[in-house]
């Protein structure tokens, strides 16, 4: 009888510990969550991260945003990559950029494959922009002039080895023109260079040009999307102009490698609730210049692989 009672006691303790473990998992989150942004405050990534943090419901917990800029976002990315995979350290980043940075040997870490995708709320398309005083009214005007004046056209953008850089090389290669790519520290500095007449072109994401487009200070020659951008209905796509160029950024939310599935599912559900709010969609589209597009973690994983495959052909142009 004593042996039987002892065995029953042990079993009871095991069941109790298992139940306590389930409760612990079910209690996530129990403290604030940090969202890392690998870029400066005020940029498109920072704006999206802070918007999501403002609206997300986390069972009474808060989400804070930390800017860890530098090395084309890699400093922030590696901070998240090496963090505990418990769901309390996340990052707002782009799988397309991670793929480009690996392809150009800026990093030997395959972040686009190893980081845990949660979701994306927007797809921020690349655009080719000129100032309002530019002689180029259309993309064909630009291509024609560039062919007649090789090497005279300069293009401002952010950093090197990223989506903007590689897609610009791809555009020059497809059109057969010679342009000079000039990297700046931020989109705002590249924009100032264009508006000040220091550079002829500016390649950026649509969210980064909305304010100066609305004010009439710039003209957009083309967007690198399959379809026209909602707040730029009169701007053609590169494909409409005869050039097969599709490029942009899924400004997405990621967790460190090996983050538990149940934590990822909780976070994805929380972000989806944010995305489903019409107030948020209106804010993203009408004020911030993002095209709201929901992408879940599984689809985001495939997008990362596909983007790396697409940009691999343009990465080879860097050494030419």
């Amino acid at each position: 009888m004593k042996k039987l009672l002892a065995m029953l006691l042990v079993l009871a303790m095991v069941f109790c510990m298992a139940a306590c473990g389930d409760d612990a998992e079910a209690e996530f989150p129990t403290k604030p969550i940090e969202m890392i942004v690998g870029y400066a405050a005020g940029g498109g990534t920072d704006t999206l991260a802070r918007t999501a943090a403002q609206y997300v419901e986390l069972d009474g917990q808060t989400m804070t945003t930390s800017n860890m800029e530098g090395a084309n976002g890699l400093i922030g990315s590696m901070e998240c990559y090496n963090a505990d995979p418990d769901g309390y350290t996340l990052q707002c980043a782009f799988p397309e950029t991670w793929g480009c940075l690996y392809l150009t040997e800026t990093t030997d870490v395959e972040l686009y494959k190893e980081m845990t995708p949660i979701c994306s709320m927007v797809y921020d398309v690349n655009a080719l922009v000129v100032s309002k005083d530019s002689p180029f009214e259309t993309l064909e005007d630009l291509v024609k002039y560039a062919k007649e004046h090789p090497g005279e056209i300069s293009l401002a953008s952010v950093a090197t080895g990223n989506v903007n850089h590689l897609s610009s090389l791809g555009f020059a290669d497809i059109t057969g023109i010679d342009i000079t790519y000039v990297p700046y520290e931020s989109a705002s500095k590249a924009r100032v260079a264009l508006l000040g007449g220091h550079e002829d072109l500016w390649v950026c994401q649509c969210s980064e040009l909305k304010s100066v487009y609305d004010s009439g200070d710039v003209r957009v020659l083309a967007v690198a999307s399959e379809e026209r951008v909602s707040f730029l209905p009169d701007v053609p796509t590169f494909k409409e102009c005869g050039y097969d160029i599709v490029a942009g950024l899924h400004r997405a939310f990621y967790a460190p490698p090996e983050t538990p599935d149940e934590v990822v599912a909780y976070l994805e559900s929380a972000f989806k609730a944010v995305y489903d709010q019409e107030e948020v969609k209106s804010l993203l589209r009408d004020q911030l210049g993002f095209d709201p597009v929901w992408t879940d973690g599984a689809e985001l994983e495939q997008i990362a692989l596909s983007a790396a495959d697409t940009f691999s052909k343009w990465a080879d142009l860097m050494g030419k």
Side-chain angles (χ1 to χ4, degrees):
M1 180 62 71
K2 289 183 179 180
K3 290 184 179 181
L4 178 59
L5 289 174
M7 291 178 61
L8 290 173
L9 181 60
V10 170
L11 288 172
M13 291 176 64
V14 170
F15 284 128
C16 181
M17 291 174 63
C20 289
D22 290 341
D23 288 342
E25 290 182 355
E27 286 176 0
F28 176 87
T30 59
K31 61 181 181 180
I33 294 174
E34 179 186 25
M35 176 71 73
I36 294 174
V37 175
Y39 301 90
T45 309
D46 180 71
T47 300
L48 177 63
R50 292 180 187 278
T51 300
Q54 175 186 347
Y55 284 91
V56 72
E57 293 290 339
L58 299 167
D59 292 327
Q61 298 301 324
T62 59
M63 180 174 288
T64 61
T65 303
S66 300
N67 297 90
M68 299 182 185
E69 58 187 289
N72 216 334
L74 274 177
I75 291 177
S77 295
M78 294 311 298
E79 182 75 15
C80 186
Y81 178 81
N82 291 312
D84 291 335
D86 54 12
Y88 291 102
T89 304
L90 309 178
Q91 186 180 12
C92 187
F94 336 119
E96 295 90 350
T97 293
W98 283 338
C100 289
L101 294 177
Y102 179 76
L103 289 168
T104 57
E105 299 182 354
T106 306
T107 178
D108 59 0
V109 181
E110 294 180 291
L111 293 163
Y112 71 103
K113 288 183 179 180
E114 295 186 43
M115 292 287 277
T116 302
I118 300 171
C119 66
S120 173
M121 295 184 186
V122 301
Y123 181 52
D124 207 358
V125 175
N126 275 35
L128 184 62
V129 186
V130 296
S131 71
K132 65 179 181 180
D133 301 320
S134 171
F136 307 128
E137 296 286 342
T138 67
L139 191 61
E140 285 308 316
D141 290 342
L142 166 63
V143 173
K144 182 175 183 297
Y145 182 90
K147 286 183 176 180
E148 295 172 351
H149 302 81
E152 288 189 14
I153 299 295
S154 62
L155 184 153
S157 196
V158 180
T160 59
N162 57 11
V163 171
N164 293 0
H165 188 193
L166 298 192
S167 63
S168 298
L169 294 177
F171 171 65
D173 185 61
I174 290 171
T175 56
I177 63 176
D178 180 17
I179 58 177
T180 301
Y181 182 89
V182 184
Y184 285 82
E185 293 179 359
S186 66
S188 61
K189 291 184 178 181
R191 179 177 63 240
V192 168
L194 176 80
L195 297 179
H198 303 293
E199 314 296 353
D200 303 299
L201 309 173
W202 176 33
V203 166
C204 63
Q205 279 68 53
C206 285
S207 66
E208 296 167 337
L209 65 84
K210 190 175 190 307
S211 62
V212 285
Y213 176 80
D214 289 344
S215 66
D217 290 325
V218 301
R219 186 161 53 249
V220 184
L221 299 185
V223 291
S225 53
E226 296 286 355
E227 300 178 356
R228 295 193 178 194
V229 174
S230 60
F231 75 90
L232 300 171
D234 298 326
V235 177
T237 66
F238 279 95
K239 282 194 170 184
E240 288 179 76
C241 298
Y243 307 113
D244 187 13
I245 299 175
V246 176
L249 301 175
H250 284 83
R251 297 188 187 271
F253 302 113
Y254 280 84
E258 301 182 8
T259 299
D261 291 343
E262 60 273 13
V263 172
V264 175
Y266 175 95
L267 292 167
E268 182 179 318
S269 177
F271 284 126
K272 183 63 162 64
V274 173
Y275 176 83
D276 286 340
Q277 296 181 47
E278 289 304 319
E279 177 186 355
V280 173
K281 288 183 182 177
S282 177
L283 174 63
L284 292 174
R285 179 180 56 247
D286 302 329
Q287 295 186 38
L288 302 180
F290 294 119
D291 251 0
V293 178
W294 176 257
T295 306
D296 63 25
E299 186 179 359
L300 198 56
E301 185 175 7
Q302 294 306 310
I303 286 172
L305 298 175
S306 177
D309 184 59
T310 297
F311 285 107
S312 63
K313 60 185 177 183
W314 296 338
D316 294 338
L317 298 173
M318 279 193 64
K320 296 183 180 180

